[in-house]
Amino acid sequence: MIEANDIWVSYRGWKRKIEALTGFNLTVNQGDIFGLLGPNGAGKSTALYTILGLIKPDKGSVKVMNQELYLGSSLFQYISYLPEEAHYHLYLTVEEAIRYYAELYGYSISNPEIKNLMESFGMTEFKRLKLSQCSKGMKQKVGLIQVLLNHNAKIMFLDEPTRGLDPLTTIQFRDILLERNKNGVTIFLNSHILSEVEMICNRVAIMDKGRVIVQDELRKLLTGEQDQYEVEFEPSDTILEFITVTERSDSSVKGIINQKHLNEFFSFIQQKRLKLYQCTLKRTTLEQAFANIIKGASGEKTDSNKYQN
């Protein structure tokens, strides 16, 4: 669906040339909900502009649906895009803007559909409000609505889509994206909200300093310590030496054990007739994986090598 090979992009700075992308490689498969992650200044927005054909790379090639995108390309009829900082015609009302964006997609939107979309995002009472009078969150909702107007979309590019949104709208939009994805739409998401990415994406790439460090299935990045288990059990006067206790209370003991001690641990629980509340493979959060990978790329001591492909 998306193939970026050895992309280099530079800008002319005031005193020196700025390398924005330095050998950027990326693969997004059809049907993915793909998250592009990275710290500020990593090159995420430049990468997105280059994929969309808005920036011509100094070197390398990008293909979307097996073709190179360029301004005016017919492929854009199959693409929906929400920029991080959308610029609107502020003299339009909310309803006028929605109709305008639908016309740009070549679609004559019906009154019932406009009503349903505005109700979904809590914008019905503001339909006659000019965009110049809308808050940032309200403008973001208009942007989300315009992304959903393209019924021909095969891929959606979303740059910080939940920025400025209230929790309820975030949940509703997430559900809509999952439904669109079930219907065959590939979703490319650029976000700093790692918890949101963790809930929705099946594959992610982490980039820094203009290049992708890791790209893989999300579940593999979150597997964590393959041989470590988190356990919680009823307190006992005896604690086996291989259990690393992380929390203790009158009602339970929480700890971590190595896989090789599982059988011995279960025997201990059975012999002592203790209640076992939890025994699960230790998982890494996306936030932890992200921090480890970025620190590893900068040369800091970390466990990030386990994420490399």
Side-chain angles (χ1 to χ4, degrees):
M1 182 59 92
I2 301 174
E3 286 286 344
N5 296 305
D6 195 27
I7 299 297
W8 292 73
V9 173
S10 61
Y11 301 103
R12 288 191 177 275
W14 181 47
K15 292 185 177 181
R16 61 184 178 85
K17 185 169 72 169
I18 298 172
E19 299 284 356
L21 297 181
T22 55
F24 177 84
N25 293 283
L26 190 74
T27 300
V28 179
N29 302 318
Q30 185 173 354
D32 276 345
I33 303 181
F34 190 93
L36 180 62
L37 312 175
N40 291 334
K44 300 187 298 299
S45 292
T46 300
L48 185 52
Y49 297 154
T50 305
I51 291 170
L52 287 167
L54 305 178
I55 293 178
K56 186 175 177 61
D58 303 329
K59 177 186 174 184
S61 64
V62 183
K63 289 190 176 181
V64 178
M65 292 181 278
N66 296 316
Q67 297 183 48
E68 290 188 11
L69 280 176
Y70 56 88
L71 294 178
S73 170
S74 60
L75 278 183
F76 280 108
Q77 65 183 304
Y78 304 115
I79 293 173
S80 291
Y81 170 49
L82 176 68
E84 180 180 5
E85 300 258 351
H87 297 281
Y88 300 98
H89 298 294
L90 298 178
Y91 55 84
L92 296 176
T93 66
V94 168
E95 183 175 355
E96 288 170 343
I98 294 171
R99 290 188 183 278
Y100 170 71
Y101 289 122
E103 291 289 342
L104 290 180
Y105 286 123
Y107 175 61
S108 182
I109 190 168
S110 66
N111 290 332
E113 186 173 359
I114 281 189
K115 181 181 178 182
N116 289 337
L117 283 169
M118 287 196 292
E119 284 180 351
S120 297
F121 289 93
M123 294 294 287
T124 303
E125 63 182 295
F126 306 111
K127 66 180 182 179
R128 292 188 175 86
L129 188 68
K130 289 186 180 295
L131 293 178
S132 60
Q133 298 174 298
C134 290
S135 67
K136 288 183 179 179
M138 292 163 68
K139 289 177 183 175
Q140 188 72 357
K141 290 180 181 181
V142 173
L144 298 182
I145 290 173
Q146 72 82 16
V147 145
L148 299 174
L149 291 172
N150 187 1
H151 295 277
N152 294 320
K154 295 182 179 179
I155 183 167
M156 298 172 66
F157 290 93
L158 307 171
D159 198 352
E160 301 292 349
T162 57
R163 180 182 183 182
L165 294 182
D166 58 86
L168 182 58
T169 303
T170 298
I171 293 170
Q172 289 173 332
F173 186 62
R174 183 196 313 145
D175 291 342
I176 291 171
L177 289 183
L178 290 171
E179 185 63 31
R180 291 290 176 100
N181 182 250
K182 285 181 182 177
N183 292 329
V185 179
T186 300
I187 297 169
F188 187 101
L189 180 67
N190 178 3
S191 177
H192 282 101
I193 306 176
L194 301 186
S195 59
E196 189 70 25
V197 171
E198 189 169 347
M199 281 188 280
I200 195 172
C201 291
N202 68 303
R203 295 184 64 244
V204 298
I206 298 176
M207 64 178 298
D208 191 29
K209 298 178 182 177
R211 63 186 180 89
V212 171
I213 305 168
V214 172
Q215 57 179 317
D216 207 342
E217 294 180 25
L218 181 63
R219 64 178 180 81
K220 291 183 180 179
L221 292 183
L222 302 186
T223 298
E225 302 289 347
Q226 294 279 0
D227 58 352
Q228 298 291 308
Y229 282 78
E230 294 178 317
V231 297
E232 182 179 5
F233 54 94
E234 188 178 7
S236 169
D237 54 0
T238 303
I239 298 294
L240 298 175
E241 61 180 11
F242 57 74
I243 301 174
T244 302
V245 177
T246 58
E247 186 178 333
R248 187 194 300 261
S249 69
D250 293 337
S251 58
S252 72
V253 175
K254 294 182 180 180
I256 298 173
I257 63 174
N258 193 283
Q259 184 180 20
K260 65 183 179 181
H261 295 301
L262 275 180
N263 289 336
E264 188 176 352
F265 171 71
F266 290 141
S267 297
F268 164 75
I269 293 295
Q270 188 174 25
Q271 290 170 5
K272 292 285 187 177
R273 297 184 177 181
L274 301 175
K275 293 180 180 178
L276 178 62
Y277 304 120
Q278 176 188 357
C279 181
T280 57
L281 183 66
K282 186 179 178 184
R283 281 172 53 90
T284 301
T285 66
L286 182 56
E287 186 177 75
Q288 292 168 332
F290 177 85
N292 283 340
I293 290 166
I294 295 298
K295 287 177 182 178
S298 64
E300 294 183 35
K301 187 176 180 180
T302 177
D303 294 330
S304 66
N305 286 338
K306 68 186 177 185
Y307 301 108
Q308 304 296 331
N309 291 335

